[in-house]
Amino acid sequence: MEFRHLQSFLAIADELHFGRAAARLHLTQPSLSQQLQRLERTLGVELVARTSHEVRLTQAGRAFETQARTIVTQVQKAAQTAREAAAGKTGTVNIGYNFLAGQHILPTTLAKMTTDYPDVTVGLWEKRTGPQLAELAAGTLDVALVYGRPVTSEFQYRRLLQVPMVAVVGQGHKWAGRPGVPFAELAHQACILFDREQCPAMYDAILSAAQRSGIALNVAYTVDDPSATAIVVSVKPLVGFASMSRGLSAGSAALGVRPVVVQLYDPVPMIELYAVWRSDGHTPLVEAFLDCMDAARPFHAPGEPRPEVKLVR
C-alpha cells in the first residue's frame, strides 16, 4: 500500500467525481483510476462504486475512509514535525548553567525562547563548570553556560559577562565589618576552596590573584558544593570565595546562615562567563537558543565592568 494511493482514494471520497479528484491531484483520470484499482487489489475489497451517473463509496470504502484519513493526517503531522525540528522550531535543547547564568542570562533568554519558539522544550541542568563541560563533550548537554574560555577545538564559545569574585565570611569573622580587603591579607587567613576540576577558571583566578599579591593561600578546607561554602564559613573562621552574584545571594534564612560579602582588591580576581557548545553540535535548536540569548542582551551582573563586554565567537 502506497501513501499516494491513500491520497488518491481520499480525493475521490471528497469529490465523488473522478474528473475533479484527478484535477485536484494534478493527475489524469486514467492514472487516478489505476491508483484506485491498485489500492483495491492490495486490500482485496471494492472501495468505490462507479456508474455512468454517480460515484459513491461502498460500505468497505466508508469504513476505510476513516482510518485512511487518520493515517494521512499522522503522516502529514510527522512531516511537519520533521521540518520544524530541522528548522529548530520544535524538539528539546538541553542547557547546562551555573548560578550566575541562572540569575542573569537564562531569565531573559528563556522569555525570548518562549515567544519565538513556543514548541521547543528547554531542559535546564545546574552544574559546576567541570561537570558541564564533561556532559557537553558526551552529548548530554547541547549548550553549557560556564566560567572560563574552553581551550580545545572541540568546543566553540561566546563570552557573555565578566564579574569580580569576592570573599565570603561568617558574621563573627574579623573581616565582617569591612567593605573591602587587599588580597594580600589572605596570607594571614585560613581559606576554604574547591577542587580545581570543579571550576578550573575560578580556581585559577583565585590562585593567580594570590600569585600577583606575592602570597600563598592557606587552604584549610575543601568543598565541592558552592552552597556549602556559606554554611562552613558561618561556623568556622574561614574565608571562602564566590562570584559577586552568588556572594550577594549566599546563605539561607531557614538555616540561619547569612554570610558577609567582602570585596577583594589589589588585585580584584575576575571571572568570565561563556556560552559553550560542541563544534560538531551547532544544530538548528542550538542556533535558536544562541540567537535568543543574543537578542536578550545586554546582560548585567553585580560588579560587572563597564562598558559592556562584547560577544566573542
Side-chain angles (χ1 to χ4, degrees), residues 1 6 8 11-12 36 64 69 74 95 104 116 123-124 157 179 181 186 216 233 251 259 267 273 278 284 287 295 308:
M1 184 185 305
L6 295 180
S8 295
I12 295 169
L36 175 62
F64 183 71
R69 289 194 187 280
Q74 289 298 320
I95 309 299
H104 303 287
D116 293 359
L124 297 174
Y157 57 87
V181 173
L186 281 164
V233 300
L273 182 70
R278 295 186 308 280
E287 187 64 37
E308 174 199 350

Side-chain angles (χ1 to χ4, degrees), residues 6 8-9 99 106 112 123 158 172 181 184 203 214 259 263 271 281 307 309:
L6 295 180
S8 295
F9 165 74
F99 182 87
L106 287 179
K112 182 66 173 172
R158 295 179 190 175
V181 173
Y203 186 97
Q263 295 192 43
I271 190 72
V309 176

Side-chain angles (χ1 to χ4, degrees), residues 183 201-215 217 267 269:
F183 200 96
M202 182 176 286
Y203 186 97
D204 292 346
I206 296 168
L207 266 63
S208 176
Q211 185 178 33
R212 282 181 286 162
S213 299
I215 65 171
L217 292 182

Side-chain angles (χ1 to χ4, degrees), residues 264-283:
L264 297 168
Y265 60 90
D266 291 337
V268 177
M270 304 297 294
I271 190 72
E272 295 178 324
L273 182 70
Y274 286 82
V276 183
W277 62 95
R278 295 186 308 280
S279 297
D280 63 352
H282 206 277
T283 66

Side-chain angles (χ1 to χ4, degrees), residues 18-206:
F18 273 73
R20 290 194 297 270
R24 172 172 154 182
L25 297 172
H26 305 289
L27 297 173
T28 63
Q29 287 191 49
S31 178
L32 179 63
S33 296
Q34 288 175 5
Q35 290 192 25
L36 175 62
Q37 290 166 8
R38 288 171 184 166
L39 178 60
E40 290 176 328
R41 283 199 299 270
T42 298
L43 298 174
V45 297
E46 182 184 35
L47 299 173
V48 178
R50 176 170 55 172
T51 69
S52 58
H53 301 292
E54 68 171 348
V55 175
R56 62 180 177 82
L57 299 184
T58 64
Q59 183 176 355
R62 290 193 296 272
F64 183 71
E65 178 189 9
T66 301
Q67 299 302 319
R69 289 194 187 280
T70 299
I71 293 169
V72 169
T73 298
Q74 289 298 320
V75 170
Q76 291 172 339
K77 182 178 180 180
Q80 180 65 22
T81 299
R83 286 191 290 268
E84 289 179 350
K89 294 182 179 180
T90 188
T92 298
V93 59
N94 288 302
I95 309 299
Y97 69 99
N98 58 20
F99 182 87
L100 182 65
Q103 293 291 305
H104 303 287
I105 306 298
L106 287 179
T108 51
T109 300
L110 293 182
K112 182 66 173 172
M113 284 288 293
T114 299
T115 300
D116 293 359
Y117 300 92
D119 295 325
V120 172
T121 299
V122 181
L124 297 174
W125 310 91
E126 185 175 10
K127 299 175 184 293
R128 301 199 75 167
T129 295
Q132 277 196 64
L133 293 179
E135 294 197 18
L136 185 65
T140 307
L141 292 178
D142 297 305
V143 178
L145 302 177
V146 296
Y147 290 131
R149 184 181 67 184
V151 294
T152 171
S153 61
E154 181 182 5
F155 298 141
Q156 296 184 51
Y157 57 87
R158 295 179 190 175
R159 190 172 71 165
L160 304 175
L161 288 174
Q162 184 184 48
V163 295
M165 296 185 61
V166 296
V168 181
V169 299
Q171 293 187 356
H173 195 279
K174 65 180 183 179
W175 284 6
R178 300 175 62 181
V181 173
F183 200 96
E185 287 194 26
L186 281 164
H188 310 294
Q189 301 294 321
C191 299
I192 178 171
L193 206 55
F194 47 86
D195 290 334
R196 184 179 183 275
E197 64 182 14
Q198 293 294 318
C199 189
M202 182 176 286
Y203 186 97
D204 292 346
I206 296 168

